Amino acid sequence: MSAVATDEAGQGTRALIFALLALACGHMLSTLLRTIPAVSLDVMAADFRIEPQALASLTSVYPFAFAAAQIPVGAAMDRFGVRPVSLSLLMGTVVGAIASGFATGPSSFALGQVLLGIATSGMLMCPMTLAAKQLSAARFGLWSGAILSIGNIGMLLSSSPLAFVVDHYGWRAGFWIAALGGVLVALAVFLLVPSQPAEHKDDSSPLLQMIEVLRLGFSRPLRGLIALALVSLATSLVLRGLWGGPWLMQIKGLSRVEAGNQLAAFTLAMIAGPLCVGMIDRRIGRRRELVASTHMVGGLLLALMALGAPHYLVSMLFGVPVMPPLYDLVLFVLIGIATSAQPLLFGMSRQLVDAQTAGKALAAINLAFFLGAALMQSVTGAVAALAGLPAVLLFMAAALLVGAMIFLTYTSSHS
């Protein structure tokens, strides 16, 4: 009898792994779609006959729509379950990708971006919610890292491979390929994700559920986690997607291809990092200390990168006009690993709330992650205009250190 039970448990675990992998591919599609304009901005702007800077500011509707949709999607997950919400979002992603690919000007492209922002908003939460409800807190820490690692592969796909597609087939081809990817992921979710009713069905009104997400986010147990979440993912996404290239090309004099290679190494560190941190967390079991220390180290590494600029402290100490690009390459890889403790914030939120509100707590953390990224993108733009690129890196370093200090202050009673 026990052998049968063990075999059934093994089959159940396998089924859950396949379901999580299918849903994580949705997150990979989301990170790919979010970064398509970064590679094809110049050709898109020429096509639409507007300035690249104007189109760049227009693309910020994506992260804001993404952040705004977190709360209703989190509430829907608790109300209807993961499978129907995931399939609805994937269909929306296909529609958004097709709309973006058919865009004829700035306004129709903005509409496509808003649709994509809303539709991809739950791509990280779907596998996270399924994992949170099915796994122990320890295993959830490991799996949340794996889900984030799989998702970050989308950033690799949107670098050299996407550049090749744009060069040979035009920028619209990137969106057609993403739409096809959306259909394939939806098919995988349809086949592999079990049709389970929402285990803790919440029959309160959608508005009350949204208020509950915000209330959870501001509650004392989650306050420290939210403070760190606001700056954690924002730092790595804004460094990888916005300022890393200009830093390497303008300050360090690298070509576009050389800068791309360094950013690819940074992305690989962001893919490997969450898995490594998840394993370390499982081994040492001191999640709060691990999260705080890695983010503080990330802040210090960013500061060291900034101080390697011409006439800054590190360059002067080494007696060179500017620190060589190899210095930045090492720091990029270390920053990619150090800021990879983000998924442990999901794990901590899972420990602090009951299963009934797991979806809403994850939505609150996710909202902080992506609202933080949208805000960091806007604020660092102003910092760059006022004080230059080293100041941008120092600002992000300070943000990480302050976030880690607030996190430590508010989580002290839960250590």
Side-chain angles (χ1 to χ4, degrees):
M1 184 66 192
S2 61
V4 174
T6 305
D7 189 46
E8 283 180 2
Q11 286 179 343
T13 304
R14 270 196 303 277
L16 177 62
I17 287 170
F18 281 125
L20 288 172
L21 289 174
L23 291 167
C25 286
H27 179 44
M28 191 198 309
L29 185 67
S30 166
T31 60
L32 167 64
L33 278 161
R34 193 185 309 128
T35 45
I36 285 178
V39 177
S40 50
L41 200 67
D42 51 345
V43 284
M44 288 165 69
D47 215 359
F48 295 154
R49 294 184 176 85
I50 63 168
E51 288 296 312
Q53 292 88 337
L55 188 58
S57 59
L58 193 67
T59 60
S60 68
V61 299
Y62 186 118
F64 280 109
F66 191 105
Q70 294 300 315
I71 296 176
V73 168
M77 213 97 66
D78 281 337
R79 193 179 182 89
F80 303 112
V82 170
R83 188 172 185 259
V85 171
S86 173
L87 288 170
S88 305
L89 292 173
L90 283 161
M91 287 299 96
T93 301
V94 173
V95 171
I98 291 170
S100 296
F102 274 117
T104 53
S107 52
S108 52
F109 181 69
L111 174 66
Q113 290 290 287
V114 169
L115 287 172
L116 281 174
I118 294 166
T120 57
S121 64
M123 294 304 183
L124 178 57
M125 264 194 297
C126 286
M128 287 292 185
T129 303
L130 185 67
K133 293 189 174 183
Q134 303 277 333
L135 298 172
S136 66
R139 288 185 69 206
F140 177 71
L142 188 65
W143 263 100
S144 58
I147 290 162
L148 212 66
S149 292
I150 293 165
N152 284 343
I153 294 170
M155 281 194 261
L156 270 189
L157 295 175
S158 72
S159 53
S160 308
L162 183 65
F164 176 85
V165 168
V166 172
D167 278 344
H168 288 80
Y169 306 104
W171 66 267
R172 295 176 193 273
F175 287 106
W176 305 140
I177 292 167
L180 178 63
V183 172
L184 294 174
V185 175
L187 189 63
V189 168
F190 183 77
L191 294 172
L192 297 171
V193 177
S195 184
Q196 297 170 317
E199 291 162 43
H200 307 282
K201 197 167 170 73
D202 185 346
D203 291 318
S204 60
S205 74
L207 180 64
L208 282 174
Q209 291 182 40
M210 290 183 204
I211 291 167
E212 177 68 6
V213 171
L214 291 173
R215 190 195 64 74
L216 264 174
F218 285 112
S219 67
R220 187 176 171 88
L222 290 191
R223 215 173 286 165
L225 277 64
I226 295 290
L228 189 52
L230 278 168
V231 296
S232 174
L233 190 66
T235 302
S236 46
L237 283 185
V238 172
L239 185 61
R240 164 63 182 82
L242 195 61
W243 299 117
W247 171 263
L248 291 169
M249 289 187 281
Q250 293 171 25
I251 306 293
K252 297 303 172 95
L254 296 189
S255 69
R256 190 181 300 275
V257 172
E258 289 167 338
N261 291 341
Q262 286 219 14
L263 293 178
F266 182 33
T267 308
L268 287 170
M270 289 168 69
I271 291 168
L275 279 171
C276 297
V277 173
M279 285 186 235
I280 293 166
D281 169 61
R282 202 167 178 188
R283 184 149 301 172
I284 66 171
R286 297 183 70 82
R287 190 169 282 178
R288 174 177 174 262
E289 291 82 354
L290 182 62
V291 168
S293 59
T294 49
H295 281 89
M296 285 179 166
V297 167
L300 291 171
L301 292 168
L302 265 168
L304 285 173
M305 187 181 279
L307 297 174
H311 314 302
Y312 275 70
L313 185 62
V314 174
S315 299
M316 287 160 65
L317 283 174
F318 279 90
V320 291
V322 61
M323 291 301 285
L326 181 63
Y327 173 78
D328 299 87
L329 177 62
V330 172
L331 287 173
F332 268 126
V333 170
L334 293 175
I335 290 166
I337 294 166
T339 55
S340 290
Q342 295 138 2
L344 298 183
L345 293 172
F346 286 120
M348 289 185 76
S349 74
R350 171 72 186 83
Q351 288 172 301
L352 295 171
V353 299
D354 55 22
Q356 188 169 348
T357 51
K360 296 189 191 74
L362 293 173
I365 298 289
N366 218 27
L367 171 63
F369 274 148
F370 291 103
L371 182 61
L375 292 171
M376 182 79 83
Q377 199 165 324
S378 308
V379 174
T380 52
V383 173
L386 284 169
L389 292 180
V392 168
L393 298 190
L394 288 171
F395 174 83
M396 292 198 289
L400 273 185
L401 292 169
V402 170
M405 294 307 295
I406 296 172
F407 168 81
L408 281 173
T409 304
Y410 277 104
T411 54
S412 55
S413 57
H414 301 283
S415 57

